[in-house]
């Protein structure tokens, strides 16, 4: 007797999960690709071979100079984190970037604006944050603030793109929750910040830059406008030939039919 009441709180989450492939097919395919690449680099290759692959795809200064497109695009095919060590700080980062950033907010962006614009936001934030961070690294090296080894540092993953959609995802929240969310987006990268001279480490700079890109997109009218979606009753009405006879008296809907409110 009590089973319906026990399942009621799970009804909405189950509907969201069931509709996820239809609402965000590109995001779902991307998440599957990330999981496969993570398993391949972690278990399908030897440690030396995996280090070679990730080193080649890393978006450090030397790679951006030698093969920029391979580094910029290849680095977002992997995520830097763990799925198994649930007590580690790295797992928290995985939950934020892969879980919230990609699985949730990239999917929201795809459903709201479509595949192309969502992909452009994600990749644009990744590329912009990477290149701007490279400029900061170059200046820091000239002033001796960073060690020269940073030119070959390992830097790959989805976190810059995820940080961009996390910031843009402020639009998805109620107004009273937007400021706390913005504080969270800016604050979480500072949890493990390391200061090197007058600057924080370049990874922290990259995350803050990606967040700035996402927050900057909040002011673009194309992103602030709510897209108009066709509804079932209106689209159906446009396909029906106008009635030429007398208008019948309204009657109750027949059993098994749907009312506009149900649609």
């Amino acid at each position: 007797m009590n089973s319906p009441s026990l399942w009621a709180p799970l009804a909405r989450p189950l509907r969201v999960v069931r509709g996820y492939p239809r609402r965000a097919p590109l995001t779902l395919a991307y998440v599957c690709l990330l999981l496969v690449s993570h398993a391949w680099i972690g278990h399908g290759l030897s440690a030396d071979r995996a280090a070679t692959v990730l080193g080649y795809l890393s978006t450090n200064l030397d790679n951006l100079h030698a093969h920029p497109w391979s580094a910029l695009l290849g680095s977002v095919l992997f995520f830097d984190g763990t799925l198994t060590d649930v007590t580690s700080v790295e797992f928290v980062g995985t939950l934020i970037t892969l879980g919230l950033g990609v699985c949730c907010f990239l999917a929201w962006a795809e459903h709201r604006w479509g595949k192309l614009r969502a992909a452009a936001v994600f990749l644009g934030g990744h590329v912009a944050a990477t290149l701007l961070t490279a400029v900061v690294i170059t200046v820091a090296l000239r002033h001796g603030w960073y060690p020269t080894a940073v030119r070959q540092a390992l830097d790959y993953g989805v976190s810059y793109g995820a940080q961009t959609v996390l910031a843009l995802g402020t639009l998805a929240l109620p107004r009273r929750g937007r400021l706390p969310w913005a504080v969270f987006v800016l604050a979480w990268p500072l949890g493990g910040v390391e200061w090197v001279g007058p600057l924080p480490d370049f990874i922290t700079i990259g995350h803050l830059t990606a967040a700035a890109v996402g927050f900057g997109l909040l002011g673009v009218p194309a992103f602030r406008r709510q897209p108009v979606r066709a509804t079932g009753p209106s689209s159906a009405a446009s396909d029906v030939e106008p009635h030429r006879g007398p208008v019948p008296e309204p009657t109750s809907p027949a059993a098994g039919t749907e009312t506009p409110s149900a649609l």
Side-chain angles (χ1 to χ4, degrees):
M1 296 295 292
N2 295 329
S3 57
S5 61
L6 293 176
W7 286 101
L10 298 176
R12 180 176 175 80
L14 289 175
R15 285 197 302 269
V16 172
V17 172
R18 187 170 61 247
Y20 194 96
R22 174 180 55 83
R23 293 164 61 92
L26 182 64
T27 301
L28 178 61
Y30 182 47
V31 171
C32 292
L33 175 62
L34 290 173
L35 294 177
V36 170
S37 65
H38 186 74
W40 175 65
I41 207 73
H43 304 285
L45 298 178
S46 65
D48 291 341
R49 181 59 178 165
T52 300
V53 172
L54 295 178
Y56 179 80
L57 298 177
S58 178
T59 54
N60 54 47
L61 287 185
D62 285 354
N63 285 349
L64 289 175
H65 177 74
H67 46 87
W69 291 112
S70 298
L72 287 170
L73 299 180
S75 62
V76 293
L77 300 179
F78 302 89
F79 66 90
D80 184 16
T82 179
L83 293 173
T84 55
D85 190 2
V86 297
T87 61
S88 65
V89 176
E90 289 78 10
F91 183 74
V92 176
T94 301
L95 288 180
I96 296 173
T97 56
L98 181 63
L100 286 176
V102 177
C103 294
C104 295
F105 281 92
L106 181 58
W108 165 81
E110 180 183 352
H111 178 66
R112 181 178 175 117
W113 294 300
K115 300 179 182 65
L116 292 180
R117 192 174 295 183
V121 168
F122 186 86
L123 290 175
H126 165 74
V127 171
T130 299
L131 296 181
L132 291 173
T133 302
V135 173
V136 174
I137 293 174
T138 302
V139 173
L141 286 172
R142 290 177 180 175
H143 288 80
W145 297 334
Y146 282 168
T148 56
V150 78
R151 297 186 62 91
Q152 297 89 29
L154 195 63
D155 184 22
Y156 69 93
V158 302
S159 59
Y160 290 173
Q163 185 77 341
T164 302
V165 293
L166 283 172
L168 183 59
T170 305
L171 290 173
L173 303 177
R175 290 187 180 276
R176 61 183 178 182
R178 291 179 180 179
L179 180 58
W181 177 255
V183 172
F184 166 75
V185 172
L186 292 172
W188 84 264
L190 300 175
V193 61
E194 296 180 4
W195 288 89
V196 185
L199 295 177
D201 59 275
F202 71 90
I203 294 179
T204 300
I205 291 176
H207 283 99
L208 295 179
T209 303
V213 172
F215 287 130
L217 291 175
L218 294 176
V220 178
F223 288 103
R224 296 194 64 85
R225 285 195 296 265
Q226 177 69 35
V228 179
R229 299 183 181 276
T231 59
S234 60
S235 59
S238 62
D239 296 332
V240 178
E241 182 179 351
H243 186 75
R244 301 181 186 278
V247 178
E249 293 292 328
T251 59
S252 299
T257 61
E258 291 180 323
T259 62
S261 60
L263 292 175

